[in-house]
Amino acid sequence: MNYFHYVENELWCEEVPVTNIAEEVGTPFYLYSHRTLDRHFNVFDEAFADVPHIICFSSKANSNIAILRVIIKKGGGMDIVSGGELYRALLAGVDPKKVVYSGVGKREDEIRFAIENEILMFNVESSQELEIINFCAGKMNKRARISLRVNPDVDSKTHSYISTGLKENKFGINIHNAFDEYHQAKKLEHIDIIGIDCHIGSQITKVSPFLDALGRLTNLINLLREDDIDIQYLDLGGGLGITYDEENPPHPTEYAEAIISRAKGINCTFIFEPGRVIMGNAGILVSRVLYTKSNADKNFIIVDAGMNDLIRPSLYNSYHQIQAVIQKERGLFSADVVGPICESGDFLAKNRVVPRFERGDLLAVMSAGAYSFSMSSNYNSRPRVAEVLVKDDQYYVIKRRETYEDIVRGEDIPGFLQE
Ligand SMILES: *Cc1c(COP(=O)(O)O)cnc(C)c1O
């Protein structure tokens, strides 16, 4: 459920007509609903009310510091995957004791930055990484808390590019080696083992893969405890899917009930790293139709947002609903909604039945709150678009549109080229 809705054929976000924002901010822009974000967080949080838990929002889904701030003020923590994300989380005021750090390729400077800030734990993805964390902590006269990210080898039945829990994926430590790896970790002088972690993929629309993974993790926890390795945190990652089109993912309450009942008696603090389920349907991308054209057997709607602004359709062939910001009496037709980028892969929708849009119309690309702005780029030297947050009847520009100066910032013509 979200708070993008029609009032007399006009799309509003909460109490603000989208057209008003487009007129003042220009297009394209991302538009987020505070009330939707708030609701999604609450639903997820309340679903786990009966067990100790920390919700570490996956900040790569949407890393705007205003969005992070909303989550932090609600008691959430952060799942980070880089030093840059730690920097953002700290800027937004995160409690470092609620930060978990995942990722297969943590650099030493990033590891030191995280140790210095005393984050809750590193989700360690290889034995070499473990040694480097130990080495860095020793140099800094500190201790580092860790969990091992275990790859449980379960099929999450999602798109292969966003599946992460199969043994052929690059993520985590193979479940069969994890026991030995924990014993290695126990020998390291500057390491405290506190948890176990997995993240099996994204946009998962069934409960069973999560339960399979959980079962494998709880078995391992029990084995480790027999050997005096006390696991206090059980991090199940993120991955719960949302409805883009006709998917029917489990409601967070159903997901939570299944997990809580499967993990009965395990006596851990749960950590979850949801991203998409919190932010995906809390945002849209608003774009204006530049031109329409037809050739022999195809209609094209050319809009001012392209794959540099929203890459998900090009990257994963993912589906986003296209809606008119102002609904008019006009027929439907089948068309490709494409951007201005010089790539054939630059499309927002393909062979889609949409209203007969005309030049100047505004359209909304729905479910664009997660992995959308955060994946945008300056390709074709296009300034990144603005991000706007609506709360009730007010809106706030939480990232201004980039200028041409912004896009060349840091570039330099060396002296030998300057005559
Ligand atoms: C991307 C990611 C998440 C978030 O996944 P969602 O599908 O957005 O919930 C959580 N944990 C890790 C380690 C990730 O890489």
Side-chain angles (χ1 to χ4, degrees):
M1 179 177 166
N2 61 63
Y3 296 93
F4 296 97
H5 58 115
Y6 284 89
V7 178
E8 288 171 7
N9 298 323
E10 206 185 319
L11 185 64
W12 288 41
C13 176
E14 302 186 18
E15 278 87 73
V16 185
V18 170
T19 311
N20 294 9
I21 305 174
E23 267 155 25
E24 283 160 51
V25 174
T27 56
F29 63 97
Y30 279 97
L31 181 58
Y32 307 123
S33 156
H34 178 271
R35 195 179 297 161
T36 309
L37 167 55
D38 188 71
R39 181 175 186 283
H40 289 175
F41 187 91
N42 290 345
V43 166
F44 201 95
D45 195 28
E46 283 158 18
F48 290 100
D50 290 343
V51 292
H53 68 277
I54 309 173
I55 297 177
C56 295
F57 175 67
S58 173
S59 57
K60 74 180 190 291
N62 189 316
S63 40
N64 186 291
I65 57 172
I67 299 295
L68 304 187
R69 181 74 188 154
V70 172
I71 288 161
I72 290 163
K73 286 195 72 172
K74 297 183 65 60
M78 292 293 146
D79 169 44
I80 59 163
V81 293
S82 70
E85 286 192 355
L86 176 57
Y87 179 79
R88 284 177 173 281
L90 292 169
L91 208 57
V94 77
D95 173 359
K97 287 276 128 47
K98 294 182 181 171
V99 173
V100 297
Y101 187 174
S102 310
V104 290
K106 303 176 185 83
R107 284 197 315 259
E108 275 188 52
D109 61 303
E110 295 176 303
I111 290 169
R112 284 196 304 271
F113 184 30
I115 293 175
E116 192 178 289
N117 284 284
E118 303 188 350
I119 64 164
L120 176 62
M121 67 186 190
F122 290 89
N123 290 335
V124 177
E125 307 219 14
S126 65
S127 41
Q128 286 183 4
E129 180 192 330
L130 186 60
E131 277 169 34
I132 294 301
I133 294 173
N134 180 54
F135 170 80
C136 291
K139 283 248 151 152
M140 296 168 75
N141 269 321
K142 294 213 179 218
R143 304 187 63 77
R145 286 170 296 276
I146 64 114
S147 77
L148 295 189
R149 175 169 175 179
V150 170
N151 184 329
D153 193 24
V154 299
D155 186 356
S156 56
K157 306 221 160 41
T158 185
H159 191 290
S160 64
Y161 285 14
I162 51 178
S163 166
T164 55
L166 281 169
K167 61 178 185 290
E168 64 260 36
N169 298 135
K170 71 176 176 182
F171 297 98
I173 292 166
N174 187 304
I175 184 120
H176 304 295
N177 305 334
F179 185 78
D180 291 342
E181 205 61 61
Y182 269 107
H183 282 86
Q184 285 302 314
K186 201 181 170 185
K187 291 184 201 145
L188 298 175
E189 221 177 315
H190 310 285
I191 294 288
D192 290 325
I193 300 171
I194 63 165
I196 191 165
D197 164 58
C198 75
H199 170 71
I200 57 173
S202 198
Q203 185 54 14
I204 299 168
T205 53
K206 297 214 160 19
V207 174
S208 56
F210 293 108
L211 296 182
D212 291 350
L214 177 59
R216 291 178 195 193
L217 260 56
T218 52
N219 287 345
L220 188 53
I221 292 174
N222 290 329
L223 282 177
L224 292 168
R225 283 180 175 164
E226 282 169 22
D227 281 357
D228 266 352
I229 297 178
D230 186 27
I231 303 293
Q232 306 154 50
Y233 293 91
L234 199 179
D235 183 342
L236 256 193
L240 189 58
I242 63 169
T243 303
Y244 286 98
D245 182 14
E246 290 175 337
E247 304 90 336
N248 194 8
H251 189 271
T253 349
E254 187 190 329
Y255 164 81
E257 277 165 11
I259 287 169
I260 292 169
S261 96
R262 175 65 60 99
K264 243 196 179 71
I266 199 69
N267 198 17
C268 284
T269 295
F270 285 94
I271 294 176
F272 298 97
E273 304 169 349
R276 192 185 309 273
V277 71
I278 304 288
M279 264 321 281
N281 278 317
I284 64 175
L285 171 64
V286 180
S287 180
R288 200 179 282 283
V289 177
L290 294 174
Y291 304 104
T292 62
K293 69 177 181 184
S294 304
N295 65 19
D297 48 20
K298 241 183 165 22
N299 301 307
F300 293 98
I301 298 162
I302 301 155
V303 301
D304 63 2
M307 66 187 285
N308 70 301
D309 304 307
L310 178 63
I311 202 174
R312 299 190 66 258
S314 314
L315 190 61
Y316 310 126
N317 203 20
S318 59
Y319 182 100
H320 289 265
Q321 277 181 35
I322 306 284
Q323 293 184 4
V325 169
I326 298 190
Q327 295 174 321
K328 302 177 191 158
E329 286 296 323
R330 57 188 159 191
L332 299 172
F333 70 158
S334 173
D336 285 6
V337 180
V338 302
I341 302 271
C342 302
E343 297 276 348
S344 295
D346 176 29
F347 61 90
L348 300 175
K350 268 213 158 139
N351 300 319
R352 186 76 63 80
V353 176
V354 289
R356 285 186 177 273
F357 285 111
E358 289 169 9
R359 174 171 161 79
D361 286 341
L362 288 173
L363 55 78
V365 184
M366 307 306 288
S367 312
Y371 306 106
S372 297
F373 185 89
S374 61
M375 282 189 170
S376 67
S377 77
N378 291 120
Y379 186 42
N380 278 207
S381 288
R382 288 164 50 82
R384 260 174 289 205
V385 306
E387 291 176 286
V388 178
L389 178 66
V390 167
K391 182 173 186 298
D392 306 325
D393 59 357
Q394 299 289 318
Y395 72 85
Y396 307 85
V397 176
I398 57 173
K399 182 168 178 22
R400 65 167 173 76
R401 187 179 305 285
E402 286 181 347
T403 62
Y404 291 152
E405 291 78 57
D406 288 329
I407 61 178
V408 295
R409 195 189 307 143
E411 293 180 27
D412 196 27
I413 297 173
F416 79 95
L417 291 173
Q418 277 179 3
E419 300 92 72

